[in-house]
Structures are given as C-alpha cells and as structure tokens.
Amino acid sequence: MAFRFNFSNPDSDNEDNQLDTGIQAISLKTESEVDHVESDRMQAAKFDIKAMKLPDTLQADRVAMSSIDYTMYRRTLADVKFQIARQDDLEADQTPMIEMAGNTDLIKGIYEGGFKTWECSIDLVEFMHTKMDDSSLENKKVLELGCGSALPGIYLLMRHASNQVDFQDYNEQVLQYITIPNIILNTVVAPSEASAEEEPEIEQSGLTQDNANIPEEDSQDDEDEEEPHADEEEMDSADAELEISETQAPDILNKLSQRSQCYFGEWQSLTNAMNLSDNLNKYDMIVTSETVYSEDSIPGLVTVLQNTLKKPDGVAYVAGKTVYFGVGGGILPFCACVDATKDKENHRLKYESVFETSGKNTVKREILKITWDI
C-alpha cells in the first residue's frame, strides 16, 4: 500500500520540496496501482561503496538549522533526476523509483520515503547539537536506521573524527543517490557555494583541510568540457556544487568507507548481514527518525534495536511524531511495543522522553532516549 503525506511548507523556497513538515492528510493507494511491486520484503545486504559510480557533479542545498553553527548540505532531488536521466545502464526499477518519490511518500515494501528529508531528522540533529555534551558524542560506533538523507548520522561524523557511523536504508537506490552523496558533501569534499569561485577542498570531519590526499582535478581545455546540465534554471537554483573527476572518485569513496559502511534491505535480516553475533561488535549509539510511522513496521524496529544495541550501556535516540494519522504508527504505539518485547536473553529496553514540541497547530514531535533495562 502506498501512502501520501500531503505536506505544506510555506517557508521553503526549494522547488525540490525535500523537507517535509506537518501532516495534513494521507492518501492511500493499493499496490496494484504501482508498477514493479515486489512480492517479498528485500533481504538485508551490505552496499558496496567502493564499487559505486559517482556522477561528475553533485548539486546541493544548505539545510536550514538555526541552532547549528556550521553548514550542512543535502543533495537536491533535481540533481538525482538529472543523473538518472543521463545514465545508460539503468536497472529496470530505477526510473520508477525516482518517479515514486515525486508522487508518493511511502509504498509499503517498495519505497520507504528515503528521497525526502523529514523534519524529525532536523529535530534530532538540533537536539544532539544543543542538548548533548561532547563526551557522549565522541569515540562512538553509531548506526543510523532508515537513514534517507542521513543528517543525524552525518552530523555525528562531522562532530568527531573518532566516530564510526554506519547507515541503513530499505532502498539501495536511496543509499546510492542520496545518502552517500550527502556524506561526501558534508564530510569528505567541500562543495563550492553558488557565490564562491574557489575550487572545492577536501574535508576531515566537516572541517576543510588543505593537505588531504585526494588528487586535484587536472585542468581541461574548454573544448573538453561537458555540456551543462539540461535544466539550467532548476540546477542553477542549488546553493552549492561539487565537481568530481574520474581520478578523484575512487579516493573519495575509499576515504568515505574508512569511517562508514552502508546496508540496505529489511530490518529482520539486518543483523545477519552485519555479522553482529558478538556484543562487542554492536553499536554504542543508534539514531533513527520518522521510522515509527507505520504500526506494522514498529515490531521490526524494536527487534533491530534489541539486536544491534550494545549491552549494557548502548543508547538509542528515536525521533518521530506522536501519531501518524491514517497508518496507525507513532511514538505511542512504539512505546507500547518496547514495553511488551523482550530479547532472546529476556532483557527489555526502556525509554524516556527527552524532547517534544508543543503540538500547537501541528502534530507533536518527540525524541525518545532508549537504553537497556538490565
């Protein structure tokens, strides 16, 4: 079943409309109305970062967060569409997937909303930046579940060079076209702002470094330059741009893979793909936002938290809306599931609310801190 959250964001001038804010209504479609429907949930697997092909240009917009004192970027959806339109070796389902992102927010078992930036991810970044002390955010092995734009996980990469942050999203294409480009733009190579003329420089943990080891792009004659983007007006509206040469791309991906791994597929089989049988290999910290939208998905989320969070001191942060009208999910049913669920060792998780909005004139948003009740 497909879900459409009809959002209104009058303050946004981004024609991609990637940041979705308040739920007004949800429209539902049956799976028979959607082409390329998968009959089974996608089994989890590790994404091969080093084997992916990067585009020669990434277009990005700044993410507006009043409490953050440095810039974060997210790739524009228009740039994703442009890359897909240029590719000769598209898999059969890639074009329909990006079209789905423009027409629906969620298609159960097929597309889980990862091409958009959801407001609770912004809440989580701002909470970590303003409410958590430095000692609780360094030297951590972190997992972001249902990452999509991956802003919380990227923030933790930027916050401390000592952090290792892994990312998971249901859709492999989201990792390829959104998550990994966003990691690159924020933690590996600094893009050029629209008003700036400087060449991009390599970054370490979100801070520009002049002495990084990724080679600079060789200068080219004018006649060797590729044609500009087709949709000039749409592409020119981006806040920043990063050009990537063929010689730079392998080094960029190698640098990214030194601190991050990526996984795709459903949660139930995720721990097998990660090889987390030993508690010492599990995660010190897990972050996730807007993953409690469906009552059907909540048990899987609780199970993957139990299976991946290190005992006894691991901590998770779950950001979401108190209720998602029309699909039965929300913070309240998530808490009920946590209360009712034990792991194989008969241990439970516990939760406390550490942030909430007023809920006045909009759906209330919350952040829960999850720890082991041992």
Side-chain angles (χ1 to χ4, degrees):
M1 182 167 289
F3 307 101
R4 176 65 174 174
F5 299 92
N6 296 319
F7 294 96
S8 175
N9 186 10
D11 296 328
S12 174
D13 58 1
N14 176 12
E15 57 191 77
D16 284 335
N17 197 26
Q18 288 174 276
L19 178 58
D20 287 313
T21 52
I23 294 180
Q24 305 300 324
I26 299 176
S27 61
L28 309 179
K29 286 193 281 186
T30 63
E31 290 179 346
S32 60
E33 296 178 84
V34 183
D35 293 330
H36 309 286
V37 174
E38 297 173 355
S39 58
D40 298 314
R41 297 284 292 179
M42 189 184 306
Q43 292 298 297
K46 186 176 180 179
F47 182 84
D48 191 347
I49 294 173
K50 294 182 181 180
M52 74 173 283
K53 184 178 180 180
L54 291 175
D56 54 19
T57 303
L58 292 174
Q59 297 267 351
D61 284 331
R62 291 183 294 272
V63 182
M65 289 183 282
S66 58
S67 63
I68 306 299
D69 52 8
Y70 46 83
T71 302
M72 294 187 73
Y73 296 98
R74 62 178 180 187
R75 190 183 189 188
T76 67
L77 195 56
D79 193 45
V80 176
K81 293 176 180 179
F82 182 79
Q83 179 185 350
I84 290 176
R86 294 179 63 189
Q87 290 180 203
D88 298 327
D89 55 349
L90 283 178
E91 296 179 8
D93 62 344
Q94 286 185 322
T95 299
M97 181 69 70
I98 194 64
E99 291 174 352
M100 289 174 189
N103 298 323
T104 187
D105 295 314
L106 304 164
I107 302 176
K108 186 177 178 181
I110 300 176
Y111 169 63
E112 300 289 344
F115 282 110
K116 298 186 178 181
T117 300
W118 301 88
E119 64 179 341
C120 289
S121 67
I122 305 292
D123 291 340
L124 188 50
V125 172
E126 293 188 323
F127 173 81
M128 291 189 292
H129 189 73
T130 60
K131 303 297 183 181
M132 297 181 67
D133 60 79
D134 210 47
S135 62
S136 63
L137 296 174
E138 62 180 338
N139 297 310
K140 301 297 183 184
K141 182 181 180 182
V142 182
L143 171 63
E144 182 171 0
L145 292 168
C147 59
S149 295
L151 297 180
I154 290 170
Y155 169 79
L156 290 166
L157 284 173
M158 297 173 72
R159 180 75 178 253
H160 282 290
S162 61
N163 289 335
Q164 173 194 332
V165 183
D166 295 339
F167 299 87
Q168 180 274 339
D169 195 273
Y170 183 76
N171 296 109
E172 184 178 8
Q173 291 178 40
V174 170
L175 296 175
Q176 178 181 355
Y177 293 116
I178 295 292
T179 306
I180 291 173
N182 283 354
I183 299 171
I184 292 170
L185 288 162
N186 288 284
T187 70
V188 182
V189 187
S192 297
E193 292 277 351
S195 59
E197 298 180 357
E198 297 85 3
E199 292 296 318
E201 297 174 343
I202 309 307
E203 290 189 346
Q204 293 279 359
S205 303
L207 301 177
T208 302
Q209 301 290 325
D210 294 327
N211 59 348
N213 295 322
I214 298 179
E216 294 182 1
E217 183 178 358
D218 295 333
S219 59
Q220 299 288 329
D221 293 332
D222 289 344
E223 60 267 22
D224 294 332
E225 293 182 359
E226 292 188 7
E227 290 295 318
H229 283 203
D231 248 334
E232 290 290 345
E233 183 176 348
E234 190 171 53
M235 304 310 296
D236 287 346
S237 67
D239 295 328
E241 180 177 288
L242 172 65
E243 295 184 359
I244 302 172
S245 70
E246 290 185 10
T247 57
Q248 283 182 308
D251 293 315
I252 288 172
L253 294 173
N254 180 65
K255 183 175 177 60
L256 186 154
S257 65
Q258 291 173 9
R259 298 182 64 198
S260 297
Q261 301 298 321
C262 293
Y263 300 87
F264 62 91
E266 51 115 23
W267 288 329
Q268 298 289 357
S269 57
L270 181 60
T271 51
N272 293 331
M274 289 180 161
N275 190 25
L276 294 178
S277 56
D278 190 331
N279 184 59
L280 292 176
N281 294 329
K282 294 184 179 182
Y283 291 91
D284 305 304
M285 185 176 183
I286 298 174
V287 292
T288 186
S289 57
E290 305 272 14
T291 50
V292 296
Y293 64 86
S294 170
E295 197 166 18
D296 291 341
S297 69
I298 287 173
L301 177 59
V302 173
T303 298
V304 78
L305 288 172
Q306 290 176 331
N307 291 339
T308 57
L309 189 63
K310 186 182 291 185
K311 293 180 179 179
D313 299 322
V315 58
Y317 291 91
V318 177
K321 297 178 176 69
T322 303
V323 63
Y324 291 82
F325 296 110
V327 283
I331 291 294
L332 294 177
F334 172 79
C335 291
C337 188
V338 170
D339 289 335
T341 308
K342 295 181 180 180
D343 70 358
K344 295 178 180 179
E345 297 175 332
N346 212 32
H347 293 149
R348 295 181 191 270
L349 295 168
K350 60 182 180 179
Y351 54 85
E352 63 173 310
S353 178
V354 293
F355 166 86
E356 63 179 45
T357 62
S358 66
K360 185 177 181 180
N361 300 324
T362 186
V363 177
K364 186 166 75 171
R365 308 189 307 275
E366 302 181 54
I367 298 175
L368 299 180
K369 179 181 179 181
I370 311 294
T371 53
W372 284 105
D373 190 9
I374 299 177

